[in-house]
Amino acid sequence: MILVTGATGGLGSSTLKSLIKLSPNSKIWGMSHRLERSIELIELGINIRKGNYLDYESLVRGLQGVQTLVLISAPAFTDRLVQQTNAVKAAIECGVKKIIYTSIQQKTNSKFIIPEVTLVENATKKIIMDSGIGYTIVNNNLYADSLAFFLGPNVLANGISIPTGKGRGAFVSREEMGEGLAALALSNEFNNQEITFSNNRNWSGEDISRILSEIHGEAVPFLNFDRQSYIRVMEQSGIPLQAAGFSADWSEAIKNGELENCDATLAGLLKRNPLSLEDFLYKIYS
Ligand SMILES: NC(=O)c1ccc[n+]([C@@H]2O[C@H](COP(=O)([O-])OP(=O)(O)OC[C@H]3O[C@@H](n4cnc5c(N)ncnc54)[C@H](OP(=O)(O)O)[C@@H]3O)[C@@H](O)[C@H]2O)c1
């Protein structure tokens, strides 16, 4: 049995929908802490169990009989390490055979820290690797969806203010990350390894300017603001300060080269190249 946590979230639901498409006869379950949001998944034939990362007993009930656990990392600005540790401990107690954990990419030997993210990711990976359970750690690039959020709601009118300098990233749509996770959960590859899900090309702020200018039919310049100016622009667009600051943190990770990568693993699982940023942004802005 394969169980995917975060069932109603973006990545979890995409993984479950792909799993059911790829292997309709497999035992596939989702785990959600908000069953009321699971109706769409249930209508697609996906079984849902209730489980809350903060309620250990609910995790133990939810993981009974599970062989492969796709553990979707908990959202930022929550007690993530406690939650993820609970999930791994429950997996041990339930005899889970393999954990596929969704983490983030970092440059090799990087000391760059994204607040709320990097240290928790490193600690969670260690807990999983030390658990005695088989694992695949999937280091995800930035979702193209998140990049679109960082651009802000008024990007076509205001220009591109993200503080990414000359940094580039191999952004991937969250939907395709889910599709890749589904293929991974059904395969017997990459056991006890860390792998990377990224696109097969990298894009910079200047590239995004070129793409949006083409779509919009007018120049959408890359302004490359500093951190404070960027946060001010985001707040003026109605984005709360915490979200604006977090977007700036991720943008600085791009600037530092943390997300520059070209790795063929995801393309191999998808059996095609991931959607380009050009095509992704075209869908949103045209
Ligand atoms: N690589 C990137 O660019 C990137 C960007 C954003 C986030 N992330 C990370 O990737 C994860 C998945 O991304 P996403 O876009 O799918 O996020 P999302 O849409 O916010 O989904 C996260 C899901 O986690 C589940 N969850 C939250 N609190 C929980 C709790 N106490 N107990 C059990 N489940 C809980 C929820 O699902 P249910 O309501 O169904 O339980 C929620 O929908 C995020 O949580 C974050 O750690 C990565």
Coordinates of all heavy atoms in Angstrom, one line a residue, residues 25-62:
N25 N -5.1 0.0 -10.2 CA -5.4 -1.2 -9.4 C -4.5 -1.3 -8.1 O -4.7 -2.2 -7.3 CB -5.3 -2.4 -10.2 CG -6.3 -2.4 -11.3 OD1 -7.4 -2.0 -11.1 ND2 -5.9 -2.8 -12.5
S26 N -3.6 -0.4 -7.9 CA -2.8 -0.4 -6.7 C -3.6 0.1 -5.5 O -4.6 0.8 -5.7 CB -1.5 0.5 -6.9 OG -0.7 0.0 -7.9
K27 N -3.1 -0.3 -4.3 CA -3.7 0.2 -3.1 C -3.1 1.6 -2.8 O -1.9 1.7 -2.4 CB -3.4 -0.7 -1.9 CG -4.3 -2.0 -2.0 CD -4.1 -2.7 -0.7 CE -4.8 -4.1 -0.7 NZ -4.3 -5.0 0.3
I28 N -3.9 2.6 -3.0 CA -3.4 4.0 -2.9 C -4.3 4.7 -1.9 O -5.5 4.7 -2.0 CB -3.4 4.7 -4.3 CG1 -2.4 4.0 -5.2 CG2 -3.1 6.2 -4.1 CD1 -2.6 4.3 -6.6
W29 N -3.6 5.3 -0.9 CA -4.4 6.1 0.1 C -3.7 7.5 0.2 O -2.5 7.6 0.0 CB -4.3 5.4 1.5 CG -5.1 4.1 1.6 CD1 -4.8 2.9 1.0 CD2 -6.4 4.0 2.2 NE1 -5.8 2.0 1.3 CE2 -6.8 2.7 2.1 CE3 -7.2 4.9 3.0 CZ2 -8.0 2.2 2.6 CZ3 -8.4 4.4 3.5 CH2 -8.8 3.1 3.3
G30 N -4.6 8.4 0.6 CA -4.1 9.7 1.0 C -4.3 9.9 2.5 O -5.2 9.2 3.1
M31 N -3.5 10.7 3.1 CA -3.8 11.1 4.5 C -4.0 12.6 4.5 O -3.2 13.4 4.0 CB -2.6 10.7 5.4 CG -2.9 11.1 6.9 SD -1.5 10.8 7.9 CE -1.6 9.1 8.2
S32 N -5.0 13.0 5.2 CA -5.3 14.4 5.4 C -5.7 14.7 6.8 O -6.3 13.9 7.5 CB -6.5 14.8 4.4 OG -6.9 16.1 4.6
H33 N -5.4 15.9 7.3 CA -5.8 16.3 8.6 C -7.1 17.1 8.5 O -7.7 17.6 9.5 CB -4.8 17.0 9.4 CG -4.5 18.5 9.1 ND1 -4.3 18.9 7.8 CD2 -4.4 19.5 9.9 CE1 -4.1 20.2 7.8 NE2 -4.2 20.6 9.1
R34 N -7.6 17.3 7.2 CA -8.9 18.0 7.0 C -9.7 17.2 6.1 O -9.8 17.5 4.9 CB -8.6 19.4 6.5 CG -7.8 20.3 7.5 CD -7.5 21.6 6.9 NE -6.5 21.5 5.9 CZ -5.8 22.5 5.4 NH1 -6.1 23.7 5.8 NH2 -4.9 22.3 4.4
L35 N -10.4 16.2 6.6 CA -11.2 15.3 5.8 C -12.2 16.0 4.9 O -12.5 15.6 3.8 CB -11.9 14.2 6.6 CG -11.0 13.1 7.2 CD1 -11.8 12.0 7.9 CD2 -10.1 12.5 6.1
E36 N -12.7 17.1 5.5 CA -13.8 17.9 4.8 C -13.3 18.4 3.5 O -14.1 18.7 2.6 CB -14.4 18.9 5.7 CG -13.4 20.1 6.1 CD -12.4 19.8 7.2 OE1 -12.3 18.6 7.7 OE2 -11.7 20.7 7.6
R37 N -12.0 18.5 3.3 CA -11.5 19.1 2.0 C -11.1 18.0 1.0 O -10.6 18.2 0.0 CB -10.2 19.9 2.3 CG -10.5 21.2 3.1 CD -9.3 22.0 3.4 NE -8.2 21.9 2.4 CZ -7.4 22.9 2.1 NH1 -7.6 24.1 2.7 NH2 -6.4 22.8 1.3
S38 N -11.4 16.7 1.4 CA -11.0 15.6 0.6 C -12.0 15.1 -0.4 O -11.7 14.1 -1.1 CB -10.6 14.4 1.5 OG -9.7 14.8 2.5
I39 N -13.2 15.7 -0.5 CA -14.3 15.2 -1.2 C -13.9 14.9 -2.7 O -14.2 13.9 -3.3 CB -15.5 16.1 -1.1 CG1 -16.0 16.0 0.3 CG2 -16.6 15.7 -2.1 CD1 -16.9 17.1 0.8
E40 N -13.2 15.9 -3.3 CA -12.8 15.8 -4.7 C -11.9 14.5 -4.9 O -12.1 13.8 -5.9 CB -12.0 17.0 -5.1 CG -11.8 17.0 -6.7 CD -10.5 17.9 -7.0 OE1 -10.1 18.7 -6.2 OE2 -10.0 17.6 -8.1
L41 N -11.0 14.3 -4.0 CA -10.2 13.1 -4.1 C -11.0 11.8 -3.9 O -10.8 10.8 -4.7 CB -9.0 13.2 -3.1 CG -8.0 14.3 -3.2 CD1 -7.1 14.4 -2.0 CD2 -7.2 14.1 -4.5
I42 N -11.9 11.8 -3.0 CA -12.7 10.6 -2.8 C -13.5 10.3 -4.0 O -13.7 9.2 -4.4 CB -13.6 10.8 -1.5 CG1 -12.7 10.8 -0.2 CG2 -14.6 9.7 -1.4 CD1 -13.4 11.3 1.0
E43 N -14.0 11.4 -4.6 CA -14.8 11.2 -5.9 C -14.0 10.6 -7.0 O -14.5 10.0 -7.9 CB -15.5 12.5 -6.3 CG -16.7 12.9 -5.4 CD -17.3 14.2 -5.7 OE1 -16.7 15.0 -6.5 OE2 -18.3 14.5 -5.1
L44 N -12.7 10.8 -6.9 CA -11.8 10.2 -8.0 C -11.4 8.8 -7.6 O -10.7 8.2 -8.3 CB -10.5 11.1 -8.1 CG -10.6 12.5 -8.7 CD1 -9.3 13.2 -8.5 CD2 -11.0 12.4 -10.2
G45 N -11.9 8.3 -6.5 CA -11.7 6.9 -6.1 C -10.5 6.8 -5.2 O -10.0 5.6 -5.0
I46 N -10.0 7.9 -4.7 CA -8.8 7.8 -3.8 C -9.3 7.7 -2.3 O -10.2 8.4 -1.9 CB -8.0 9.1 -3.9 CG1 -7.4 9.1 -5.3 CG2 -6.8 9.1 -2.9 CD1 -6.9 10.5 -5.8
N47 N -8.8 6.7 -1.6 CA -9.2 6.5 -0.2 C -8.4 7.5 0.7 O -7.2 7.7 0.5 CB -8.8 5.0 0.2 CG -9.3 4.0 -0.7 OD1 -10.5 3.8 -0.8 ND2 -8.5 3.3 -1.4
I48 N -9.1 8.0 1.6 CA -8.5 9.0 2.5 C -8.6 8.5 4.0 O -9.7 8.1 4.4 CB -9.2 10.4 2.4 CG1 -9.1 10.9 0.9 CG2 -8.5 11.4 3.3 CD1 -7.7 11.3 0.4
R49 N -7.5 8.6 4.7 CA -7.4 8.4 6.1 C -7.1 9.7 6.8 O -6.4 10.5 6.2 CB -6.3 7.4 6.5 CG -6.6 6.0 6.1 CD -5.4 5.1 6.4 NE -5.7 3.7 6.2 CZ -4.8 2.8 6.3 NH1 -3.6 3.0 6.7 NH2 -5.1 1.5 6.1
K50 N -7.6 9.8 8.0 CA -7.4 11.1 8.8 C -6.0 10.9 9.5 O -5.8 9.9 10.1 CB -8.5 11.3 9.7 CG -8.3 12.7 10.4 CD -9.6 13.2 11.0 CE -9.4 14.6 11.5 NZ -10.5 15.3 12.0
G51 N -5.2 12.0 9.5 CA -4.0 11.9 10.3 C -3.5 13.4 10.4 O -3.5 14.1 9.4
N52 N -3.0 13.7 11.6 CA -2.5 15.0 11.8 C -1.1 14.9 12.4 O -0.8 14.1 13.3 CB -3.4 15.7 12.9 CG -3.0 17.2 13.1 OD1 -1.9 17.6 13.0 ND2 -4.0 18.0 13.3
Y53 N -0.1 15.6 11.7 CA 1.3 15.5 12.1 C 1.5 15.8 13.6 O 2.5 15.4 14.2 CB 2.1 16.5 11.3 CG 2.3 16.2 9.8 CD1 2.4 17.2 8.9 CD2 2.3 14.9 9.3 CE1 2.5 17.0 7.6 CE2 2.5 14.7 8.0 CZ 2.6 15.7 7.1 OH 2.8 15.5 5.7
L54 N 0.6 16.6 14.1 CA 0.7 17.0 15.6 C 0.0 16.0 16.5 O 0.1 16.2 17.7 CB 0.1 18.4 15.7 CG 0.9 19.5 15.0 CD1 0.1 20.8 15.0 CD2 2.3 19.8 15.8
D55 N -0.6 15.0 16.0 CA -1.3 14.0 16.8 C -0.8 12.6 16.5 O -1.2 12.0 15.5 CB -2.8 14.1 16.4 CG -3.7 13.1 17.1 OD1 -3.1 12.2 17.9 OD2 -4.9 13.1 16.9
Y56 N 0.2 12.2 17.3 CA 1.0 11.0 17.0 C 0.1 9.8 16.8 O 0.2 9.0 15.9 CB 2.0 10.8 18.1 CG 2.8 9.6 17.9 CD1 3.9 9.6 17.0 CD2 2.6 8.4 18.6 CE1 4.6 8.4 16.7 CE2 3.4 7.2 18.4 CZ 4.4 7.3 17.4 OH 5.1 6.2 17.2
E57 N -0.9 9.7 17.7 CA -1.8 8.5 17.7 C -2.6 8.4 16.4 O -2.8 7.4 15.8 CB -2.8 8.5 18.9 CG -2.1 8.3 20.2 CD -1.2 7.0 20.2 OE1 -1.5 6.0 19.6 OE2 -0.1 7.1 20.9
S58 N -3.0 9.6 15.9 CA -3.7 9.6 14.6 C -2.8 9.1 13.5 O -3.2 8.5 12.5 CB -4.2 11.0 14.3 OG -3.2 11.9 13.8
L59 N -1.5 9.4 13.6 CA -0.5 9.0 12.5 C -0.4 7.5 12.6 O -0.3 6.8 11.6 CB 0.8 9.7 12.7 CG 0.8 11.2 12.5 CD1 2.2 11.8 12.9 CD2 0.5 11.5 11.1
V60 N -0.3 6.9 13.8 CA -0.1 5.5 14.0 C -1.4 4.8 13.4 O -1.3 3.8 12.7 CB 0.1 5.1 15.4 CG1 0.1 3.6 15.7 CG2 1.5 5.7 15.9
R61 N -2.6 5.3 13.7 CA -3.8 4.7 13.1 C -3.7 4.8 11.6 O -4.0 3.8 10.9 CB -5.0 5.4 13.6 CG -5.5 5.0 15.0 CD -6.9 5.6 15.3 NE -7.0 7.0 15.2 CZ -6.7 7.9 16.3 NH1 -6.2 7.4 17.4 NH2 -6.8 9.2 16.1
G62 N -3.3 6.0 11.1 CA -3.4 6.2 9.6 C -2.3 5.4 8.8 O -2.5 5.2 7.7

